[in-house]
């Protein structure tokens, strides 16, 4: 790595590829207006592939510098910080560089960032929760996810659900199903989409029977969007049947 490993250097590299027109588009796309879910978020106009390319140059950034990125008001700074954090966790997980203490530090760091409101849009959650907190909890107690799921903060609840994608990829659907039942009455559309998405993945990757069991028990209560996402890979006849139960 030839670039200096500082948050300021990451921010400068992002500024070099920022585009003002893209910034306007992204501010609309991520609903940053008054009363919208991303209210007040600031974009400089860097698309995700460009952000990933910049983050790759700084993959050895220290946690203190990552924290500076996460504390930025600029969305792309926070996204770059989370991409780097994913990489740090992945490196510390490898057999040749396995570092349990570092894994604990990174997971704790991530959870603090979530609770401080720094992982605060759907792309930030979806691009980090499973790779850090989810992977960390694969073989550990998962109580913290149920605490997050009961939060008044939308993004904390979404972190809880998206973290279970790691469990699903390891063949374990239990926590996803428990959280999905807990969140059936959530009022946020972004949560309906998240829960439905994870339920769909349960049926696709783990056990179609487990998904059908959940739908048989809960389809009548499920919000329309959640049910639509969850049944996406079922047959047309099955989808129609579950919709008719609402």
């Amino acid at each position: 790595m030839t670039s200096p490993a500082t948050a300021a250097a990451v921010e400068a590299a992002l500024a070099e590829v920022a585009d003002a027109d893209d910034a306007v588009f992204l501010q609309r796309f991520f609903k940053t207006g008054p009363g919208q879910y991303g209210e007040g978020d600031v974009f400089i106009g860097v698309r995700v592939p460009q952000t990933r390319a910049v983050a790759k140059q700084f993959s050895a950034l220290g946690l203190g510098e990552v924290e500076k990125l996460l504390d930025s008001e600029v969305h792309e700074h926070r996204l770059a910080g989370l991409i780097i954090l994913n990489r740090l966790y992945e490196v510390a997980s490898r057999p040749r560089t396995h570092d349990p203490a570092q894994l604990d530090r990174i997971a704790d760091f991530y959870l603090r960032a979530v609770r401080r409101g720094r992982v605060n849009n759907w792309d930030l959650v979806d691009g980090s929760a499973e790779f850090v907190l989810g992977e960390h909890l694969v073989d550990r107690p998962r109580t913290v996810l149920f605490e997050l799921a009961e939060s008044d903060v939308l993004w904390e609840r979404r972190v809880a659900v998206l973290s279970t994608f790691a469990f699903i990829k390891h063949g374990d659907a239990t926590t996803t199903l428990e959280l999905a039942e807990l969140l059936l009455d959530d009022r946020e559309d972004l949560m309906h989409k998240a829960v439905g998405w994870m339920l769909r993945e349960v049926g696709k990757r783990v056990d179609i029977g487990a998904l059908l069991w959940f739908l048989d028990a809960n389809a009548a209560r499920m919000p329309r969007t959640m049910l639509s996402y969850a049944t996406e890979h079922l047959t047309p006849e099955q989808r129609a049947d579950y919709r008719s139960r609402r």
Side-chain angles (χ1 to χ4, degrees):
M1 186 179 65
T2 58
S3 304
T6 67
V10 176
E11 293 172 5
L14 290 169
E16 289 182 2
V17 294
D19 180 274
D21 291 336
D22 280 345
V24 173
F25 168 77
L26 292 169
Q27 298 244 165
R28 289 198 303 266
F29 182 77
F30 284 99
K31 309 295 185 186
T32 63
Q36 296 181 310
Y37 64 74
E39 180 176 357
D41 208 351
V42 176
F43 288 80
I44 58 174
V46 185
R47 298 294 181 122
V48 172
Q50 294 171 304
T51 304
R52 290 191 178 280
V54 169
K56 187 176 181 180
Q57 301 175 44
F58 299 90
S59 58
L61 203 67
L63 290 182
E65 297 300 310
V66 172
E67 186 167 32
K68 293 176 184 177
L69 292 173
L70 295 184
D71 283 341
S72 172
E73 68 173 1
V74 175
H75 186 101
E76 293 93 336
H77 295 172
R78 301 196 303 281
L79 178 58
L82 291 168
I83 293 169
I84 293 167
L85 195 67
N86 291 346
R87 172 68 171 175
L88 293 174
Y89 192 91
E90 188 270 329
V91 169
S93 301
R94 293 175 183 171
R96 293 184 62 181
T97 53
H98 187 63
D99 187 342
Q102 177 71 343
L103 293 173
D104 287 343
R105 282 192 292 271
I106 294 171
D108 289 345
F109 175 93
Y110 179 77
L111 186 56
R112 289 197 304 272
V114 169
R115 286 174 163 160
R116 291 193 301 111
R118 309 318 302 157
V119 187
N120 57 347
N121 214 314
W122 61 262
D123 64 319
L124 303 181
V125 172
D126 298 3
S128 63
E130 66 167 292
F131 302 109
V132 179
L133 189 58
E135 281 296 330
H136 199 65
L137 297 179
V138 164
D139 56 0
R140 293 176 174 84
R142 301 169 184 178
T143 305
V144 66
L145 297 186
F146 292 88
E147 294 172 359
L148 292 172
E150 294 177 349
S151 170
D152 292 333
V153 179
L154 163 63
W155 308 121
E156 293 186 14
R157 301 198 304 278
R158 190 164 174 117
V159 165
V161 174
L162 265 295
S163 292
T164 73
F165 207 172
F167 312 154
I168 292 170
K169 290 178 179 179
H170 285 273
D172 177 5
T174 55
T175 303
T176 305
L177 296 175
E178 290 174 11
L179 288 174
E181 187 169 15
L182 181 65
L183 292 164
L184 282 174
D185 297 321
D186 198 291
R187 295 188 177 186
E188 293 286 352
D189 186 63
L190 282 172
M191 288 304 301
H192 301 167
K193 292 176 179 178
V195 173
W197 173 20
M198 290 301 99
L199 288 171
R200 181 188 72 203
E201 295 300 321
V202 166
K204 178 181 176 182
R205 296 170 182 264
V206 183
D207 181 5
I208 186 65
L211 172 61
L212 296 178
W213 171 84
F214 185 91
L215 293 172
D216 286 340
N218 298 294
R221 287 181 55 198
M222 292 172 69
R224 186 180 303 276
T225 299
M226 186 188 297
L227 183 61
S228 177
Y229 273 58
T231 59
E232 191 174 59
H233 291 305
L234 301 184
T235 67
E237 294 77 17
Q238 286 174 313
R239 292 199 300 272
D241 175 42
Y242 285 120
R243 283 198 302 268
S244 72
R245 303 187 192 191
R246 294 185 70 255

